[in-house]
PDB file of all heavy atoms in Angstrom:
ATOM      1  N   MET A   1      72.570 146.992  95.222  1.00  0.00           N
ATOM      2  CA  MET A   1      73.495 146.972  96.333  1.00  0.00           C
ATOM      3  C   MET A   1      74.938 147.196  95.886  1.00  0.00           C
ATOM      4  O   MET A   1      75.788 147.637  96.637  1.00  0.00           O
ATOM      5  CB  MET A   1      73.397 145.624  97.036  1.00  0.00           C
ATOM      6  CG  MET A   1      73.667 145.757  98.512  1.00  0.00           C
ATOM      7  SD  MET A   1      73.416 144.196  99.305  1.00  0.00           S
ATOM      8  CE  MET A   1      71.727 144.360  99.797  1.00  0.00           C
ATOM      9  N   ALA A   4      77.013 150.500  96.395  1.00  0.00           N
ATOM     10  CA  ALA A   4      77.557 150.899  97.693  1.00  0.00           C
ATOM     11  C   ALA A   4      78.849 150.176  98.023  1.00  0.00           C
ATOM     12  O   ALA A   4      79.423 150.375  99.087  1.00  0.00           O
ATOM     13  CB  ALA A   4      76.526 150.641  98.778  1.00  0.00           C
ATOM     14  N   ASP A   7      82.146 151.564  99.667  1.00  0.00           N
ATOM     15  CA  ASP A   7      82.321 151.803 101.095  1.00  0.00           C
ATOM     16  C   ASP A   7      83.194 150.749 101.763  1.00  0.00           C
ATOM     17  O   ASP A   7      83.699 150.971 102.845  1.00  0.00           O
ATOM     18  CB  ASP A   7      80.960 151.788 101.807  1.00  0.00           C
ATOM     19  CG  ASP A   7      80.173 153.029 101.443  1.00  0.00           C
ATOM     20  OD1 ASP A   7      80.813 153.981 100.973  1.00  0.00           O
ATOM     21  OD2 ASP A   7      78.947 153.021 101.617  1.00  0.00           O
ATOM     22  N   ASN A  22      87.505 140.047 120.058  1.00  0.00           N
ATOM     23  CA  ASN A  22      87.861 140.833 121.247  1.00  0.00           C
ATOM     24  C   ASN A  22      87.949 139.964 122.491  1.00  0.00           C
ATOM     25  O   ASN A  22      87.224 139.003 122.650  1.00  0.00           O
ATOM     26  CB  ASN A  22      86.807 141.911 121.452  1.00  0.00           C
ATOM     27  CG  ASN A  22      87.299 142.991 122.376  1.00  0.00           C
ATOM     28  OD1 ASN A  22      87.580 142.738 123.538  1.00  0.00           O
ATOM     29  ND2 ASN A  22      87.450 144.189 121.839  1.00  0.00           N
ATOM     30  N   LEU A  40      76.742 143.165 105.963  1.00  0.00           N
ATOM     31  CA  LEU A  40      76.271 144.179 105.034  1.00  0.00           C
ATOM     32  C   LEU A  40      77.413 145.085 104.611  1.00  0.00           C
ATOM     33  O   LEU A  40      77.555 145.444 103.444  1.00  0.00           O
ATOM     34  CB  LEU A  40      75.174 144.986 105.713  1.00  0.00           C
ATOM     35  CG  LEU A  40      74.351 145.844 104.782  1.00  0.00           C
ATOM     36  CD1 LEU A  40      73.448 144.963 103.951  1.00  0.00           C
ATOM     37  CD2 LEU A  40      73.543 146.836 105.587  1.00  0.00           C
ATOM     38  N   GLU A  62      82.800 130.878 123.698  1.00  0.00           N
ATOM     39  CA  GLU A  62      81.858 130.667 124.801  1.00  0.00           C
ATOM     40  C   GLU A  62      80.480 130.323 124.229  1.00  0.00           C
ATOM     41  O   GLU A  62      80.086 130.822 123.177  1.00  0.00           O
ATOM     42  CB  GLU A  62      81.724 131.962 125.616  1.00  0.00           C
ATOM     43  CG  GLU A  62      83.008 132.447 126.180  1.00  0.00           C
ATOM     44  CD  GLU A  62      82.945 132.518 127.698  1.00  0.00           C
ATOM     45  OE1 GLU A  62      81.892 132.196 128.272  1.00  0.00           O
ATOM     46  OE2 GLU A  62      83.966 132.906 128.280  1.00  0.00           O
ATOM     47  N   TRP A 140      80.890 111.663 118.227  1.00  0.00           N
ATOM     48  CA  TRP A 140      80.386 112.057 119.530  1.00  0.00           C
ATOM     49  C   TRP A 140      78.863 112.158 119.456  1.00  0.00           C
ATOM     50  O   TRP A 140      78.316 112.505 118.414  1.00  0.00           O
ATOM     51  CB  TRP A 140      81.046 113.373 119.929  1.00  0.00           C
ATOM     52  CG  TRP A 140      80.847 113.773 121.361  1.00  0.00           C
ATOM     53  CD1 TRP A 140      80.253 114.911 121.786  1.00  0.00           C
ATOM     54  CD2 TRP A 140      81.259 113.063 122.531  1.00  0.00           C
ATOM     55  NE1 TRP A 140      80.260 114.949 123.145  1.00  0.00           N
ATOM     56  CE2 TRP A 140      80.867 113.835 123.638  1.00  0.00           C
ATOM     57  CE3 TRP A 140      81.902 111.841 122.766  1.00  0.00           C
ATOM     58  CZ2 TRP A 140      81.088 113.444 124.957  1.00  0.00           C
ATOM     59  CZ3 TRP A 140      82.131 111.442 124.074  1.00  0.00           C
ATOM     60  CH2 TRP A 140      81.734 112.235 125.143  1.00  0.00           C
ATOM     61  N   ARG A 183      66.886 109.041 122.697  1.00  0.00           N
ATOM     62  CA  ARG A 183      65.836 109.978 123.121  1.00  0.00           C
ATOM     63  C   ARG A 183      65.536 110.986 122.019  1.00  0.00           C
ATOM     64  O   ARG A 183      64.370 111.262 121.721  1.00  0.00           O
ATOM     65  CB  ARG A 183      66.269 110.726 124.387  1.00  0.00           C
ATOM     66  CG  ARG A 183      65.961 109.980 125.663  1.00  0.00           C
ATOM     67  CD  ARG A 183      66.059 110.905 126.864  1.00  0.00           C
ATOM     68  NE  ARG A 183      67.428 111.231 127.227  1.00  0.00           N
ATOM     69  CZ  ARG A 183      68.211 110.424 127.960  1.00  0.00           C
ATOM     70  NH1 ARG A 183      67.750 109.272 128.413  1.00  0.00           N
ATOM     71  NH2 ARG A 183      69.437 110.759 128.258  1.00  0.00           N
ATOM     72  N   ASN A 494      43.997 155.387 159.832  1.00  0.00           N
ATOM     73  CA  ASN A 494      45.089 154.871 159.002  1.00  0.00           C
ATOM     74  C   ASN A 494      45.047 155.525 157.620  1.00  0.00           C
ATOM     75  O   ASN A 494      44.053 155.434 156.909  1.00  0.00           O
ATOM     76  CB  ASN A 494      44.925 153.351 158.879  1.00  0.00           C
ATOM     77  CG  ASN A 494      46.074 152.712 158.138  1.00  0.00           C
ATOM     78  OD1 ASN A 494      46.733 153.361 157.317  1.00  0.00           O
ATOM     79  ND2 ASN A 494      46.323 151.450 158.433  1.00  0.00           N
TER      80      ASN A 494
ATOM     81  N   VAL B  23      45.176 148.199 162.462  1.00  0.00           N
ATOM     82  CA  VAL B  23      45.373 149.429 161.712  1.00  0.00           C
ATOM     83  C   VAL B  23      46.842 149.766 161.514  1.00  0.00           C
ATOM     84  O   VAL B  23      47.266 150.199 160.461  1.00  0.00           O
ATOM     85  CB  VAL B  23      44.643 150.575 162.439  1.00  0.00           C
ATOM     86  CG1 VAL B  23      45.024 151.917 161.826  1.00  0.00           C
ATOM     87  CG2 VAL B  23      43.155 150.357 162.349  1.00  0.00           C
ATOM     88  N   GLU B 243      70.713 117.511 129.964  1.00  0.00           N
ATOM     89  CA  GLU B 243      69.280 117.299 129.818  1.00  0.00           C
ATOM     90  C   GLU B 243      68.476 117.612 131.074  1.00  0.00           C
ATOM     91  O   GLU B 243      67.578 118.431 131.056  1.00  0.00           O
ATOM     92  CB  GLU B 243      69.005 115.858 129.356  1.00  0.00           C
ATOM     93  CG  GLU B 243      69.512 115.618 127.927  1.00  0.00           C
ATOM     94  CD  GLU B 243      69.205 114.221 127.417  1.00  0.00           C
ATOM     95  OE1 GLU B 243      68.525 113.461 128.131  1.00  0.00           O
ATOM     96  OE2 GLU B 243      69.646 113.893 126.309  1.00  0.00           O
ATOM     97  N   GLN B 274      89.200 111.874 126.902  1.00  0.00           N
ATOM     98  CA  GLN B 274      87.928 112.404 126.431  1.00  0.00           C
ATOM     99  C   GLN B 274      86.948 112.537 127.601  1.00  0.00           C
ATOM    100  O   GLN B 274      86.221 113.516 127.716  1.00  0.00           O
ATOM    101  CB  GLN B 274      87.349 111.470 125.371  1.00  0.00           C
ATOM    102  CG  GLN B 274      86.052 111.988 124.822  1.00  0.00           C
ATOM    103  CD  GLN B 274      85.536 111.121 123.678  1.00  0.00           C
ATOM    104  OE1 GLN B 274      85.978 110.014 123.451  1.00  0.00           O
ATOM    105  NE2 GLN B 274      84.586 111.608 122.959  1.00  0.00           N
ATOM    106  N   LYS B 324      79.504 133.119 135.734  1.00  0.00           N
ATOM    107  CA  LYS B 324      79.390 134.532 135.383  1.00  0.00           C
ATOM    108  C   LYS B 324      78.565 135.293 136.406  1.00  0.00           C
ATOM    109  O   LYS B 324      78.739 136.473 136.595  1.00  0.00           O
ATOM    110  CB  LYS B 324      78.742 134.661 134.013  1.00  0.00           C
ATOM    111  CG  LYS B 324      79.559 133.945 132.962  1.00  0.00           C
ATOM    112  CD  LYS B 324      79.438 134.591 131.633  1.00  0.00           C
ATOM    113  CE  LYS B 324      80.484 134.025 130.675  1.00  0.00           C
ATOM    114  NZ  LYS B 324      80.736 132.578 130.836  1.00  0.00           N
ATOM    115  N   ARG B 455      86.127 152.141 118.878  1.00  0.00           N
ATOM    116  CA  ARG B 455      85.173 151.061 118.649  1.00  0.00           C
ATOM    117  C   ARG B 455      83.767 151.632 118.455  1.00  0.00           C
ATOM    118  O   ARG B 455      83.069 151.283 117.522  1.00  0.00           O
ATOM    119  CB  ARG B 455      85.171 150.088 119.818  1.00  0.00           C
ATOM    120  CG  ARG B 455      83.977 149.153 119.805  1.00  0.00           C
ATOM    121  CD  ARG B 455      84.018 148.092 120.863  1.00  0.00           C
ATOM    122  NE  ARG B 455      85.279 147.372 120.831  1.00  0.00           N
ATOM    123  CZ  ARG B 455      86.219 147.488 121.735  1.00  0.00           C
ATOM    124  NH1 ARG B 455      86.036 148.288 122.754  1.00  0.00           N
ATOM    125  NH2 ARG B 455      87.329 146.805 121.624  1.00  0.00           N
ATOM    126  N   LEU B 465      76.013 153.233 107.697  1.00  0.00           N
ATOM    127  CA  LEU B 465      76.124 152.614 106.382  1.00  0.00           C
ATOM    128  C   LEU B 465      74.919 151.716 106.124  1.00  0.00           C
ATOM    129  O   LEU B 465      74.312 151.753 105.053  1.00  0.00           O
ATOM    130  CB  LEU B 465      77.414 151.792 106.324  1.00  0.00           C
ATOM    131  CG  LEU B 465      77.537 150.870 105.122  1.00  0.00           C
ATOM    132  CD1 LEU B 465      77.833 151.675 103.865  1.00  0.00           C
ATOM    133  CD2 LEU B 465      78.634 149.846 105.347  1.00  0.00           C
ATOM    134  N   ARG B 469      72.274 152.234 103.191  1.00  0.00           N
ATOM    135  CA  ARG B 469      71.995 151.220 102.175  1.00  0.00           C
ATOM    136  C   ARG B 469      70.535 150.835 102.192  1.00  0.00           C
ATOM    137  O   ARG B 469      69.929 150.591 101.174  1.00  0.00           O
ATOM    138  CB  ARG B 469      72.844 149.984 102.409  1.00  0.00           C
ATOM    139  CG  ARG B 469      74.263 150.263 102.066  1.00  0.00           C
ATOM    140  CD  ARG B 469      75.004 148.962 101.902  1.00  0.00           C
ATOM    141  NE  ARG B 469      76.359 149.249 101.500  1.00  0.00           N
ATOM    142  CZ  ARG B 469      77.290 148.326 101.368  1.00  0.00           C
ATOM    143  NH1 ARG B 469      76.998 147.063 101.633  1.00  0.00           N
ATOM    144  NH2 ARG B 469      78.496 148.645 100.972  1.00  0.00           N
ATOM    145  N   PHE B 498      65.258 145.018 102.616  1.00  0.00           N
ATOM    146  CA  PHE B 498      65.991 144.766 101.376  1.00  0.00           C
ATOM    147  C   PHE B 498      65.130 145.101 100.180  1.00  0.00           C
ATOM    148  O   PHE B 498      63.975 144.764 100.148  1.00  0.00           O
ATOM    149  CB  PHE B 498      66.411 143.304 101.313  1.00  0.00           C
ATOM    150  CG  PHE B 498      67.742 143.100 101.917  1.00  0.00           C
ATOM    151  CD1 PHE B 498      67.850 142.762 103.245  1.00  0.00           C
ATOM    152  CD2 PHE B 498      68.883 143.298 101.186  1.00  0.00           C
ATOM    153  CE1 PHE B 498      69.086 142.579 103.815  1.00  0.00           C
ATOM    154  CE2 PHE B 498      70.121 143.120 101.746  1.00  0.00           C
ATOM    155  CZ  PHE B 498      70.231 142.760 103.075  1.00  0.00           C
TER     156      PHE B 498
END
Side-chain angles (χ1 to χ4, degrees):
Chain A
M1 212 176 267
D7 289 341
N22 197 297
L40 194 72
E62 301 240 359
W140 192 240
R183 274 195 286 279
N494 185 334
Chain B
V23 170
E243 292 182 5
Q274 182 175 14
K324 301 211 168 37
R455 166 174 308 108
L465 168 74
R469 288 197 177 175
F498 270 93

